[in-house]
Amino acid sequence: TDGPQPKVKWNIEAHPNTILSLAVSPDGRFAAKGDRAGRVRVWQTVDGRQVQEFVASDTPAYGVVFHSDGKRLFTADRQPKKPRLAAWDWERKERAWVAEVEALSGYRRVEDIEWGGIRALAVSPDGASVVAGGRNGYDGPACVLVFDAATGELRDEIAPAADVAGGTFWKWMAWDNGILYALIGEQEDRDPVI
């Protein structure tokens, strides 16, 4: 490509487990990650120094996103039957609230597999709402659930028309000027059951 190339500012060993999510605080001062072991780590972006680590879940931390105030962090896990969305005061490692999000569970007991879960998180620019996106059930339509960021109370559900989105809201959502943007995958073909 033309032009100057970006330079590495610092390197870190993030965690021995797979990193599943990454977020940068609105002011750009901190970066957070969630991993397969359910751990969240937070670093200063100026020098890469780790400033916090805590266990957010006993299942993979599939999503992290900072609140617009930068003091709170939301996490989403992959608990099979009832995925959880939680709000944290990340500096104190204190959980403010947790909401079980059964509507985004994709667990199938017969096969003991889990396809769904919360796949994407975003916070409204005013900080009033946090949204969790995924699939409604094992093979249901994509949907987004809107929660009150202060209390964890469910406010709304957004489900696009099936001809627009037959798959899951995957790993990315952003909220800008009242518009929620999301990447949505196609409905997956299933192998026939024999």
Side-chain angles (χ1 to χ4, degrees), residues 14-15 21 23 31-43 50-57 59-66 73-76 88 90 93:
H15 205 273
S21 52
K33 68 88 186 162
D35 69 26
R36 188 165 298 284
R39 290 195 164 280
V40 172
R41 286 187 179 178
V42 181
W43 296 272
Q50 183 176 317
V51 294
Q52 192 56 274
E53 179 176 1
F54 60 94
V55 176
S57 175
T59 62
Y62 228 76
V64 294
V65 66
F66 282 94
L73 185 71
F74 298 96
T75 61
W88 297 86
W90 65 267
K93 300 193 243 185

Short mmCIF file of all heavy atoms in Angstrom, two decimals, residues 14-15 21 23 31-43 50-57 59-66 73-76 88 90 93:
data_model
loop_
_atom_site.label_atom_id
_atom_site.label_comp_id
_atom_site.label_asym_id
_atom_site.label_seq_id
_atom_site.Cartn_x
_atom_site.Cartn_y
_atom_site.Cartn_z
N ALA A 14 -1.15 -11.36 25.78
CA ALA A 14 -2.50 -11.10 26.28
C ALA A 14 -2.99 -12.17 27.24
O ALA A 14 -3.52 -11.87 28.29
CB ALA A 14 -3.47 -10.95 25.12
N HIS A 15 -2.83 -13.41 26.88
CA HIS A 15 -3.30 -14.50 27.73
C HIS A 15 -3.01 -15.80 27.01
O HIS A 15 -3.02 -15.84 25.79
CB HIS A 15 -4.80 -14.37 28.00
CG HIS A 15 -5.22 -15.03 29.27
ND1 HIS A 15 -5.56 -16.35 29.34
CD2 HIS A 15 -5.34 -14.55 30.52
CE1 HIS A 15 -5.88 -16.65 30.59
NE2 HIS A 15 -5.75 -15.58 31.33
N SER A 21 -12.67 -11.39 22.39
CA SER A 21 -13.22 -10.05 22.25
C SER A 21 -12.19 -9.02 22.68
O SER A 21 -11.33 -9.29 23.51
CB SER A 21 -14.50 -9.91 23.08
OG SER A 21 -14.27 -10.30 24.42
N ALA A 23 -11.87 -4.52 23.21
CA ALA A 23 -12.54 -3.21 23.19
C ALA A 23 -11.54 -2.15 23.61
O ALA A 23 -10.60 -2.42 24.37
CB ALA A 23 -13.72 -3.21 24.15
N ALA A 31 -7.45 -0.57 26.88
CA ALA A 31 -7.91 -1.66 26.01
C ALA A 31 -8.26 -2.83 26.92
O ALA A 31 -7.56 -3.09 27.91
CB ALA A 31 -6.81 -2.07 25.02
N ALA A 32 -9.34 -3.53 26.60
CA ALA A 32 -9.77 -4.69 27.38
C ALA A 32 -9.98 -5.86 26.45
O ALA A 32 -10.36 -5.70 25.29
CB ALA A 32 -11.06 -4.38 28.14
N LYS A 33 -9.77 -7.07 26.99
CA LYS A 33 -10.03 -8.27 26.21
C LYS A 33 -10.74 -9.29 27.09
O LYS A 33 -10.60 -9.33 28.30
CB LYS A 33 -8.74 -8.85 25.63
CG LYS A 33 -7.78 -9.42 26.66
CD LYS A 33 -8.05 -10.86 26.98
CE LYS A 33 -7.18 -11.36 28.11
NZ LYS A 33 -7.69 -12.58 28.72
N GLY A 34 -11.55 -10.12 26.42
CA GLY A 34 -12.17 -11.27 27.06
C GLY A 34 -11.64 -12.52 26.39
O GLY A 34 -11.35 -12.51 25.19
N ASP A 35 -11.51 -13.62 27.15
CA ASP A 35 -10.92 -14.82 26.56
C ASP A 35 -11.74 -16.07 26.84
O ASP A 35 -12.76 -16.03 27.52
CB ASP A 35 -9.46 -14.99 27.01
CG ASP A 35 -9.30 -15.34 28.47
OD1 ASP A 35 -10.22 -15.93 29.07
OD2 ASP A 35 -8.25 -15.03 29.03
N ARG A 36 -11.27 -17.16 26.30
CA ARG A 36 -11.96 -18.44 26.41
C ARG A 36 -12.10 -18.92 27.85
O ARG A 36 -13.01 -19.65 28.20
CB ARG A 36 -11.23 -19.48 25.56
CG ARG A 36 -11.98 -20.79 25.45
CD ARG A 36 -11.46 -21.67 24.35
NE ARG A 36 -11.58 -21.11 23.03
CZ ARG A 36 -12.70 -21.02 22.32
NH1 ARG A 36 -13.83 -21.42 22.83
NH2 ARG A 36 -12.69 -20.50 21.12
N ALA A 37 -11.22 -18.49 28.75
CA ALA A 37 -11.28 -18.90 30.16
C ALA A 37 -12.22 -18.01 30.98
O ALA A 37 -12.36 -18.22 32.17
CB ALA A 37 -9.88 -18.87 30.76
N GLY A 38 -12.86 -17.01 30.35
CA GLY A 38 -13.76 -16.11 31.06
C GLY A 38 -13.07 -14.95 31.75
O GLY A 38 -13.67 -14.22 32.51
N ARG A 39 -11.78 -14.77 31.48
CA ARG A 39 -11.01 -13.69 32.11
C ARG A 39 -11.08 -12.42 31.27
O ARG A 39 -11.10 -12.47 30.04
CB ARG A 39 -9.54 -14.08 32.24
CG ARG A 39 -9.31 -15.14 33.27
CD ARG A 39 -7.82 -15.22 33.62
NE ARG A 39 -7.63 -15.94 34.84
CZ ARG A 39 -7.79 -15.45 36.06
NH1 ARG A 39 -8.15 -14.21 36.22
NH2 ARG A 39 -7.59 -16.19 37.12
N VAL A 40 -11.05 -11.30 31.97
CA VAL A 40 -10.96 -9.99 31.34
C VAL A 40 -9.66 -9.34 31.84
O VAL A 40 -9.37 -9.37 33.03
CB VAL A 40 -12.17 -9.11 31.70
CG1 VAL A 40 -11.98 -7.68 31.20
CG2 VAL A 40 -13.45 -9.71 31.14
N ARG A 41 -8.90 -8.78 30.91
CA ARG A 41 -7.70 -8.02 31.25
C ARG A 41 -7.83 -6.64 30.64
O ARG A 41 -8.36 -6.48 29.55
CB ARG A 41 -6.44 -8.69 30.71
CG ARG A 41 -6.04 -9.91 31.49
CD ARG A 41 -4.69 -10.42 31.02
NE ARG A 41 -4.32 -11.59 31.80
CZ ARG A 41 -3.20 -12.28 31.58
NH1 ARG A 41 -2.37 -11.92 30.63
NH2 ARG A 41 -2.93 -13.33 32.31
N VAL A 42 -7.31 -5.64 31.36
CA VAL A 42 -7.35 -4.25 30.90
C VAL A 42 -5.93 -3.70 30.94
O VAL A 42 -5.21 -3.88 31.92
CB VAL A 42 -8.28 -3.39 31.79
CG1 VAL A 42 -8.32 -1.95 31.28
CG2 VAL A 42 -9.69 -3.98 31.83
N TRP A 43 -5.53 -2.99 29.85
CA TRP A 43 -4.21 -2.39 29.74
C TRP A 43 -4.34 -0.91 29.44
O TRP A 43 -5.30 -0.46 28.83
CB TRP A 43 -3.41 -3.00 28.58
CG TRP A 43 -3.10 -4.43 28.72
CD1 TRP A 43 -2.00 -4.97 29.33
CD2 TRP A 43 -3.86 -5.53 28.22
NE1 TRP A 43 -2.04 -6.34 29.24
CE2 TRP A 43 -3.17 -6.71 28.56
CE3 TRP A 43 -5.05 -5.64 27.52
CZ2 TRP A 43 -3.64 -7.98 28.23
CZ3 TRP A 43 -5.53 -6.89 27.19
CH2 TRP A 43 -4.82 -8.04 27.55
N GLN A 50 -0.47 -3.64 32.09
CA GLN A 50 -1.73 -4.21 32.56
C GLN A 50 -2.14 -3.51 33.85
O GLN A 50 -1.34 -3.41 34.78
CB GLN A 50 -1.60 -5.71 32.79
CG GLN A 50 -2.91 -6.35 33.19
CD GLN A 50 -2.80 -7.85 33.34
OE1 GLN A 50 -2.18 -8.51 32.52
NE2 GLN A 50 -3.42 -8.37 34.38
N VAL A 51 -3.40 -3.07 33.91
CA VAL A 51 -3.88 -2.36 35.10
C VAL A 51 -4.99 -3.12 35.82
O VAL A 51 -5.34 -2.74 36.94
CB VAL A 51 -4.35 -0.93 34.76
CG1 VAL A 51 -3.17 -0.09 34.30
CG2 VAL A 51 -5.46 -0.94 33.71
N GLN A 52 -5.51 -4.17 35.19
CA GLN A 52 -6.58 -4.92 35.85
C GLN A 52 -6.73 -6.30 35.23
O GLN A 52 -6.44 -6.49 34.05
CB GLN A 52 -7.90 -4.17 35.76
CG GLN A 52 -9.01 -4.70 36.65
CD GLN A 52 -8.61 -4.73 38.11
OE1 GLN A 52 -8.02 -5.71 38.55
NE2 GLN A 52 -8.91 -3.67 38.84
N GLU A 53 -7.19 -7.24 36.04
CA GLU A 53 -7.54 -8.57 35.57
C GLU A 53 -8.59 -9.14 36.53
O GLU A 53 -8.47 -8.98 37.74
CB GLU A 53 -6.33 -9.50 35.54
CG GLU A 53 -6.67 -10.90 35.08
CD GLU A 53 -5.44 -11.80 34.96
OE1 GLU A 53 -4.33 -11.36 35.26
OE2 GLU A 53 -5.62 -12.97 34.58
N PHE A 54 -9.63 -9.73 35.97
CA PHE A 54 -10.64 -10.38 36.81
C PHE A 54 -11.35 -11.46 36.01
O PHE A 54 -11.32 -11.46 34.78
CB PHE A 54 -11.65 -9.37 37.38
CG PHE A 54 -12.44 -8.59 36.36
CD1 PHE A 54 -13.69 -9.04 35.94
CD2 PHE A 54 -11.95 -7.41 35.85
CE1 PHE A 54 -14.42 -8.32 35.01
CE2 PHE A 54 -12.67 -6.68 34.92
CZ PHE A 54 -13.92 -7.14 34.51
N VAL A 55 -11.97 -12.39 36.73
CA VAL A 55 -12.75 -13.45 36.09
C VAL A 55 -14.19 -12.94 35.96
O VAL A 55 -14.85 -12.65 36.96
CB VAL A 55 -12.71 -14.75 36.91
CG1 VAL A 55 -13.61 -15.81 36.28
CG2 VAL A 55 -11.28 -15.25 37.02
N ALA A 56 -14.64 -12.81 34.74
CA ALA A 56 -16.00 -12.32 34.48
C ALA A 56 -17.00 -13.46 34.46
O ALA A 56 -18.18 -13.25 34.70
CB ALA A 56 -16.04 -11.56 33.16
N SER A 57 -16.53 -14.67 34.14
CA SER A 57 -17.44 -15.79 33.97
C SER A 57 -16.68 -17.10 34.09
O SER A 57 -15.47 -17.15 33.91
CB SER A 57 -18.10 -15.71 32.58
OG SER A 57 -18.90 -16.84 32.34
N THR A 59 -17.43 -19.38 31.99
CA THR A 59 -17.48 -19.80 30.59
C THR A 59 -16.82 -18.70 29.75
O THR A 59 -16.54 -17.62 30.27
CB THR A 59 -18.94 -20.02 30.13
OG1 THR A 59 -19.65 -18.80 30.23
CG2 THR A 59 -19.62 -21.10 30.96
N PRO A 60 -16.55 -18.93 28.47
CA PRO A 60 -15.84 -17.94 27.67
C PRO A 60 -16.48 -16.55 27.70
O PRO A 60 -17.70 -16.40 27.66
CB PRO A 60 -15.90 -18.53 26.26
CG PRO A 60 -15.93 -20.01 26.50
CD PRO A 60 -16.79 -20.17 27.73
N ALA A 61 -15.62 -15.53 27.79
CA ALA A 61 -16.06 -14.12 27.75
C ALA A 61 -16.11 -13.70 26.29
O ALA A 61 -15.12 -13.24 25.73
CB ALA A 61 -15.11 -13.25 28.55
N TYR A 62 -17.27 -13.90 25.69
CA TYR A 62 -17.41 -13.72 24.25
C TYR A 62 -17.53 -12.27 23.82
O TYR A 62 -17.43 -11.95 22.65
CB TYR A 62 -18.61 -14.51 23.74
CG TYR A 62 -18.28 -15.33 22.54
CD1 TYR A 62 -17.56 -16.50 22.66
CD2 TYR A 62 -18.65 -14.93 21.27
CE1 TYR A 62 -17.23 -17.25 21.56
CE2 TYR A 62 -18.33 -15.67 20.16
CZ TYR A 62 -17.62 -16.83 20.32
OH TYR A 62 -17.29 -17.56 19.22
N GLY A 63 -17.76 -11.38 24.77
CA GLY A 63 -17.87 -9.97 24.41
C GLY A 63 -17.41 -9.08 25.54
O GLY A 63 -17.62 -9.38 26.71
N VAL A 64 -16.74 -7.98 25.19
CA VAL A 64 -16.44 -6.90 26.11
C VAL A 64 -16.67 -5.59 25.37
O VAL A 64 -16.39 -5.50 24.17
CB VAL A 64 -14.99 -6.93 26.67
CG1 VAL A 64 -14.76 -8.13 27.55
CG2 VAL A 64 -13.96 -6.84 25.59
N VAL A 65 -17.20 -4.61 26.09
CA VAL A 65 -17.36 -3.27 25.52
C VAL A 65 -17.36 -2.27 26.68
O VAL A 65 -17.92 -2.55 27.73
CB VAL A 65 -18.64 -3.16 24.65
CG1 VAL A 65 -19.90 -3.32 25.48
CG2 VAL A 65 -18.68 -1.85 23.87
N PHE A 66 -16.69 -1.15 26.48
CA PHE A 66 -16.66 -0.10 27.49
C PHE A 66 -17.93 0.74 27.41
O PHE A 66 -18.44 1.02 26.32
CB PHE A 66 -15.46 0.84 27.29
CG PHE A 66 -14.16 0.29 27.77
CD1 PHE A 66 -13.31 -0.39 26.92
CD2 PHE A 66 -13.78 0.47 29.09
CE1 PHE A 66 -12.09 -0.88 27.36
CE2 PHE A 66 -12.57 -0.02 29.56
CZ PHE A 66 -11.72 -0.69 28.69
N LEU A 73 -17.60 -1.51 32.30
CA LEU A 73 -17.29 -2.44 31.22
C LEU A 73 -18.40 -3.48 31.21
O LEU A 73 -18.82 -3.96 32.28
CB LEU A 73 -15.94 -3.10 31.49
CG LEU A 73 -15.37 -4.03 30.44
CD1 LEU A 73 -14.92 -3.24 29.22
CD2 LEU A 73 -14.18 -4.80 31.00
N PHE A 74 -18.91 -3.81 30.05
CA PHE A 74 -19.93 -4.84 29.92
C PHE A 74 -19.28 -6.09 29.35
O PHE A 74 -18.43 -6.01 28.46
CB PHE A 74 -21.07 -4.37 29.00
CG PHE A 74 -21.77 -3.17 29.53
CD1 PHE A 74 -21.43 -1.90 29.09
CD2 PHE A 74 -22.78 -3.29 30.48
CE1 PHE A 74 -22.06 -0.78 29.59
CE2 PHE A 74 -23.42 -2.18 30.99
CZ PHE A 74 -23.07 -0.92 30.54
N THR A 75 -19.68 -7.25 29.88
CA THR A 75 -19.17 -8.53 29.39
C THR A 75 -20.33 -9.44 29.02
O THR A 75 -21.41 -9.34 29.59
CB THR A 75 -18.30 -9.24 30.46
OG1 THR A 75 -19.10 -9.52 31.61
CG2 THR A 75 -17.10 -8.39 30.84
N ALA A 76 -20.09 -10.30 28.06
CA ALA A 76 -21.07 -11.31 27.66
C ALA A 76 -20.37 -12.65 27.67
O ALA A 76 -19.23 -12.76 27.23
CB ALA A 76 -21.61 -11.02 26.27
N TRP A 88 -19.80 -4.10 34.88
CA TRP A 88 -18.72 -4.11 35.87
C TRP A 88 -18.16 -2.72 36.10
O TRP A 88 -18.02 -1.94 35.16
CB TRP A 88 -17.55 -4.97 35.36
CG TRP A 88 -17.87 -6.39 35.17
CD1 TRP A 88 -18.41 -6.96 34.04
CD2 TRP A 88 -17.66 -7.45 36.09
NE1 TRP A 88 -18.55 -8.31 34.22
CE2 TRP A 88 -18.10 -8.63 35.48
CE3 TRP A 88 -17.14 -7.51 37.39
CZ2 TRP A 88 -18.03 -9.87 36.11
CZ3 TRP A 88 -17.08 -8.74 38.01
CH2 TRP A 88 -17.52 -9.90 37.37
N TRP A 90 -14.89 -1.87 36.40
CA TRP A 90 -13.70 -2.68 36.12
C TRP A 90 -12.51 -2.32 37.01
O TRP A 90 -11.68 -3.17 37.29
CB TRP A 90 -13.33 -2.64 34.64
CG TRP A 90 -12.91 -1.32 34.10
CD1 TRP A 90 -13.70 -0.38 33.49
CD2 TRP A 90 -11.58 -0.77 34.10
NE1 TRP A 90 -12.96 0.69 33.12
CE2 TRP A 90 -11.65 0.49 33.47
CE3 TRP A 90 -10.36 -1.22 34.56
CZ2 TRP A 90 -10.54 1.30 33.31
CZ3 TRP A 90 -9.24 -0.41 34.40
CH2 TRP A 90 -9.35 0.83 33.78
N LYS A 93 -13.26 -4.24 40.16
CA LYS A 93 -13.62 -5.64 39.92
C LYS A 93 -14.97 -5.98 40.54
O LYS A 93 -15.18 -7.08 41.02
CB LYS A 93 -12.56 -6.61 40.44
CG LYS A 93 -11.20 -6.46 39.84
CD LYS A 93 -10.35 -7.67 40.20
CE LYS A 93 -9.18 -7.28 41.02
NZ LYS A 93 -8.27 -8.37 41.31
#
